[in-house]
Amino acid sequence: MATIRVHTTQNVTLAYEVASVGDRVAASLLDYLLYGVWAMLVAMVADKLHSGWLIWYLILLPTVFYHLACEIFFNGQSIGKKARDIRVMRLDGTPARLGDYFLRWLLRPLEILLTLGSVAAVTILLNGKGQRLGDLLAGTTVLSMRPRARRLLLPEDAVPAGYQPVFGQAAQLSDRDVALLRQLLSRSLKQENFLVLHETALKVKHLLEVHSDLNDEAFLRTVLRDHAYLAAVAQ
């Protein structure tokens, strides 16, 4: 499953999985269920008031603008998306903008209503980044915000665009190894215990069977960054 890195205001990066087609379909079904409830309520009121053609405007107008209004005012979520804990975001990890929501909404009738969602589903499955045509046009995707779908990345894990790993052997490290390495690096720097820092670097070099002229801190941070990059590529 593809992931998108979201940068927070606390200078922490969170990696979120792209929402599955199943989650998106379930969210849409919940939204359409709301359409049905709204239609029944309007029909009941209209019957009491003996109104005629006006009922169709009362039913259709809110549903036409429902997704656009929800995503604008609820930060990228319709009620169905909120229930499934998924959200519209830009591919660069920043919140979607008004124009992005409008572009997604503009192609909704073609992708979802007229084709019963088949065009959207096929595009999402083939795209690899969870994008339907509206998302491709807007530069957005839909992310799963569930806790199990995200991974906290420390500042040393952040990698720039086009990054090339230095130590490919870093992929051999387990999650437990990486967690321990982060802990030792942080503790030794905080306590200025450079002996522990040096011993940790030697242990990692021996474990990965690598040689490096980098100083101990730079070496360990590079290994962590390489591991983060290689793990993200493998997902």
Side-chain angles (χ1 to χ4, degrees):
M1 186 71 69
T3 60
I4 302 294
R5 294 187 175 191
V6 178
H7 304 280
T8 71
T9 55
Q10 289 77 34
N11 196 31
V12 174
T13 302
L14 298 175
Y16 289 94
E17 287 182 358
V18 169
S20 67
V21 173
D23 270 336
R24 293 177 73 160
V25 169
S28 293
L29 291 176
L30 289 171
D31 289 325
Y32 289 129
L33 179 61
L34 292 176
Y35 290 178
V37 172
W38 168 255
M40 287 189 294
L41 290 175
V42 171
M44 291 171 57
V45 172
D47 183 61
K48 296 286 185 181
L49 300 177
H50 304 287
S51 61
W53 56 267
L54 184 61
I55 182 176
W56 295 107
Y57 288 99
L58 293 175
I59 290 175
L60 292 177
L61 280 179
T63 58
V64 167
F65 296 100
Y66 167 80
H67 278 90
L68 179 61
C70 281
E71 290 178 0
I72 290 173
F73 293 108
F74 299 152
N75 193 24
Q77 292 181 303
S78 65
I79 295 175
K81 285 186 176 69
K82 192 171 186 64
R84 297 301 302 172
D85 208 9
I86 60 180
R87 184 189 305 276
V88 178
M89 297 283 288
R90 290 187 58 79
L91 283 177
D92 61 6
T94 59
R97 302 183 291 256
L98 178 62
D100 302 327
Y101 296 135
F102 178 76
L103 291 174
R104 297 183 80 256
W105 172 79
L106 201 60
L107 289 184
R108 175 174 287 275
L110 171 64
E111 294 187 79
I112 299 176
L113 299 181
L114 297 181
T115 61
L116 299 179
S118 60
V119 170
V122 170
T123 307
I124 291 170
L125 290 172
L126 294 179
N127 173 260
K129 294 182 180 179
Q131 295 176 289
R132 60 178 178 83
L133 293 178
D135 289 312
L136 289 170
L137 185 62
T140 57
T141 186
V142 179
L143 303 181
S144 174
M145 311 305 289
R146 298 188 187 94
R148 64 174 174 79
R150 64 191 182 189
R151 182 167 62 91
L152 182 64
L153 301 175
L154 296 180
E156 59 264 22
D157 290 337
V159 294
Y163 180 78
Q164 294 295 323
V166 180
F167 305 109
Q169 299 92 327
Q172 302 171 16
L173 296 174
S174 66
D175 290 342
R176 184 176 180 180
D177 293 333
V178 171
L180 178 59
L181 178 54
R182 287 184 183 131
Q183 183 180 8
L184 290 171
L185 174 61
S186 176
R187 183 182 301 171
S188 59
L189 291 175
K190 185 176 181 180
Q191 298 176 353
E192 297 187 353
N193 192 332
F194 299 108
L195 178 59
V196 170
L197 186 68
H198 182 64
E199 291 177 349
T200 302
L202 288 177
K203 181 66 175 179
V204 172
K205 289 176 183 177
H206 177 73
L207 179 64
L208 300 182
E209 298 181 349
V210 299
H211 172 76
S212 174
D213 293 326
L214 294 171
N215 64 53
D216 296 332
E217 179 184 352
F219 169 73
L220 294 175
R221 289 189 182 278
T222 301
V223 168
L224 287 173
R225 193 176 296 114
D226 287 347
H227 180 273
Y229 173 84
L230 294 168
V233 169
Q235 290 178 350

